[in-house]
Structures are given as structure tokens and as C-alpha cells.
């Protein structure tokens, strides 16, 4: 999901997934359990997805810093929870790092009045200042049946064509979507990654898939099925999958190849290590 023409202009989806692999595997089931798309009007601008669709709630781990001190006082071992905590802290930071630029560029359209096009599309054109300078964004949204087809491009500069940063569809007033990102550092601008979000049963998911050479199919998936939550990492090869899951009441578990001998490690509602059921 690299977005720039230089190394300082963005962080790729491949970096996020590669880091996820290190977090979930090299740091050496918990769900207790459709939104139907709405019709899209061609006579008014399509609804853009809200930024909270592309975030995940890690607040469960917010008070984990004190556990090391509690453990030293003899309150009992919290090793399993703390191990999961450190992994989610970095995953949270990486998710924000990867998603912040495209979400900000997309969301900035709210300050611009779109222009209707003859083919039924709507186009927003606006300046945007990101972490790598000032650019012009061209956002195109075209209602098609019950979905909206989106394309966000960097306006032509010295080149004679626009660079399509990402494209895809949304439905259900933006509550469901799928975006494909292009590597603008490559002359051919191949697909470098995908993001999808929506509903699974009663929960909400956010998923990242790498399409980078050597990382093809590596998938990181967040599931908010409150009161249960889960993170899954599935490599694109035959490497074992990993997960972290937790429940609002406090208990949870993780399973990664190089922690606890690759076996599931659990904690109870007091965040203390416990035998998995």
C-alpha cells in the first residue's frame, strides 16, 4: 500500500504485514458467538465510509502496564496476558500508521463540494497536505446498483496521467467495503495490498491482505464481536497461523508458534495465567 514516490512518503501494507508476522510469531478461540447493503441513489453524492470503520478497539489492554508490578508483588503470573498485550500494542500502532494517510486523504473530501458527472459519478477535487507534502486529490464515486465504486487518484503533476492510489467499492452506507491499493513506486503500479471491512455474524471485521511478491496472501484480520474480540494472522504459505483473542469479562488467550511451545496460552478474568479449557 505504498503511496509515494520516495521512501519518506508512506508505509506499505507489506511493512504492516511483515511487522505483524514478527509480532505474532517472533516474540518469543474466543468468540462467543449482515448488514444488508442499502440502495444507492444516483441523484445525490454517495455516502463515504466513516473513519471508525477502519479502526479497531484495543482499549481492553489499556491498563496492562501495572501488571508487571503486581506480578512482582506476588499477585500471580500474568505472563500470557502481558505477552498478548505487547503484541497488540505494536499492532495497534502499525494499523494506525498504515491507515492514517489513506483515511485522511479520503476523509478530506468532506470539505469539498462534489461535481456530478454525465456517467452518474461524482468527483471531489481538493488539495491535501500529508506527511510527504502538498498534493491534489481526485476522488471519484460512482453509484452502481447497491454499491458505490470508488477511485482515489493523485492528480497529474509532471506526468500526463493520474496515479490511482486505491480503488474499490463500498455498500451499506460505507459500513462494508473493499479497497485495492497500488504501489506507486513501481512504473507498472501493481496491486500491493487489499483492505476489507464489514460484518461477520454479529461482529465487525477489518482485514489486511498483502499482494507483494514474497508476501502474497499474508492476512491480518481483526474481529470485533463484542463482548469477544480476536486478531488472526494467516500466512500465505503453510506456516502455522496465529491468534490473540479476549473477552470483555477479562479472560482470553493467544497462540503463536514460538510462545508456550506453540500451544494456546490462556489467562482468566483476573488476567492471571490459567490452564486453557
Amino acid at each position: 500500500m505504498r503511496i509515494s514516490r520516495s521512501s519518506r512518503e508512506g508505509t506499505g501494507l507489506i511493512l504492516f504485514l511483515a511487522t505483524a508476522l514478527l509480532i505474532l510469531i517472533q516474540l518469543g478461540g474466543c468468540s462467543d458467538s449482515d448488514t444488508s447493503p442499502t440502495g444507492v441513489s444516483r441523484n445525490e453524492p454517495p455516502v463515504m465510509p466513516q473513519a471508525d470503520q477502519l479502526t479497531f478497539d484495543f482499549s481492553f489492554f489499556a491498563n496492562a502496564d501495572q501488571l508487571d508490578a503486581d506480578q512482582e508483588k506476588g499477585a500471580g503470573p500474568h505472563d500470557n496476558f502481558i505477552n498478548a498485550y505487547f503484541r497488540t500494542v505494536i499492532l495497534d500502532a502499525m494499523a494506525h500508521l498504515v491507515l492514517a494517510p489513506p483515511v485522511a486523504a479520503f476523509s478530506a473530501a468532506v470539505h469539498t463540494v462534489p461535481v456530478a458527472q454525465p456517467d452518474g459519478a461524482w468527483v471531489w477535487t481538493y488539495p491535501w497536505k500529508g506527511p510527504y507534502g502538498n498534493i491534489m486529490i481526485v476522488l471519484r464515486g460512482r453509484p452502481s446498483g447497491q454499491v458505490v465504486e470508488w477511485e482515489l487518484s493523485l492528480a497529474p503533476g509532471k506526468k500526463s496521467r493520474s496515479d490511482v492510489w486505491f480503488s474499490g467499492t463500498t455498500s451499506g452506507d460505507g459500513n462494508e467495503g473493499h479497497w485495492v491499493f497500488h504501489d506507486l513506486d513501481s512504473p507498472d503500479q501493481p496491486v500491493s495490498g487489499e483492505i476489507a471491512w464489514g460484518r461477520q455474524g454479529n461482529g465487525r471485521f477489518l482485514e489486511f491482505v498483502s499482494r507483494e511478491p514474497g508476501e502474497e496472501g499474508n492476512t491480518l484480520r481483526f474481529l470485533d464481536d463484542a463482548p469477544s474480540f480476536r486478531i488472526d494472522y494467516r500466512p500465505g504459505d503453510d506456516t502455522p497461523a496465529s491468534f490473540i483473542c479476549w473477552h470483555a469479562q477479562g479472560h482470553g488467550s493467544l497462540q503463536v508458534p514460538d510462545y508456550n511451545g506453540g500451544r494456546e496460552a490462556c489467562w482468566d478474568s483476573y488476567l492471571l495465567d490459567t490452564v486453557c479449557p
Side-chain angles (χ1 to χ4, degrees):
M1 191 195 300
R2 288 194 294 268
I3 63 176
S4 67
R5 298 171 178 79
S6 69
S7 60
R8 66 185 176 83
E9 293 181 346
T11 300
L13 177 62
I14 181 59
L15 173 60
F16 177 63
L17 289 170
T19 304
L21 178 62
L22 292 174
I23 296 165
L24 291 178
I25 295 180
Q26 295 182 3
L27 280 178
C30 277
S31 179
D32 285 346
S33 26
D34 293 352
T35 299
S36 300
T38 58
V40 180
S41 171
R42 296 173 60 88
N43 298 319
E44 57 185 28
V47 177
M48 292 185 288
Q50 298 297 310
D52 60 5
Q53 298 295 323
L54 299 176
T55 60
F56 195 78
D57 184 6
F58 290 102
S59 60
F60 174 80
F61 296 92
N63 297 320
D65 292 335
Q66 66 184 22
L67 293 182
D68 281 325
D70 292 344
Q71 189 163 311
E72 291 178 1
K73 295 176 182 178
H78 300 90
D79 294 333
N80 297 339
F81 174 82
I82 291 174
N83 192 280
Y85 160 68
F86 282 120
R87 299 172 196 270
T88 56
V89 165
I90 302 175
L91 284 173
D92 186 28
M94 288 303 300
H96 282 89
L97 179 64
V98 170
L99 287 173
V103 170
F106 194 95
S107 300
V110 71
H111 304 295
T112 301
V113 177
V115 178
Q117 305 297 303
D119 64 352
W122 295 79
V123 173
W124 294 255
T125 304
Y126 51 95
W128 181 64
K129 183 176 182 180
Y132 44 88
N134 297 308
I135 59 175
M136 289 296 295
I137 294 290
V138 178
L139 175 63
R140 176 183 173 88
R142 178 178 176 272
S144 178
Q146 293 188 334
V147 303
V148 179
E149 299 171 348
W150 295 99
E151 182 179 273
L152 188 144
S153 304
L154 309 189
K158 295 181 180 179
K159 298 181 180 180
S160 60
R161 60 179 174 82
S162 297
D163 291 327
V164 177
W165 180 1
F166 57 90
S167 60
T169 62
T170 59
S171 60
D173 287 339
N175 292 319
E176 301 173 352
H178 176 253
W179 287 348
V180 175
F181 286 79
H182 296 266
D183 180 0
L184 299 186
D185 289 328
S186 174
D188 296 332
Q189 299 185 357
V191 172
S192 60
E194 303 176 37
I195 292 177
W197 68 94
R199 307 292 299 183
Q200 177 178 307
N202 295 322
R204 180 176 65 88
F205 73 87
L206 173 62
E207 182 174 271
F208 304 79
V209 182
S210 175
R211 298 303 179 196
E212 295 276 4
E215 303 289 342
E216 181 76 22
N218 286 357
T219 302
L220 189 65
R221 184 181 180 89
F222 302 92
L223 178 63
D224 179 346
D225 192 10
S228 296
F229 307 85
R230 184 177 177 108
I231 305 169
D232 285 281
Y233 179 81
R234 302 189 304 273
D237 54 23
D238 57 359
T239 305
S242 305
F243 71 79
I244 301 171
C245 58
W246 63 97
H247 193 276
Q249 291 181 344
H251 58 280
S253 69
L254 75 160
Q255 184 170 5
V256 295
D258 74 340
Y259 180 73
N260 195 39
R263 300 182 301 277
E264 185 176 12
C266 300
W267 63 86
D268 63 18
S269 58
Y270 298 99
L271 310 183
L272 296 169
D273 293 353
T274 187
V275 176
C276 295

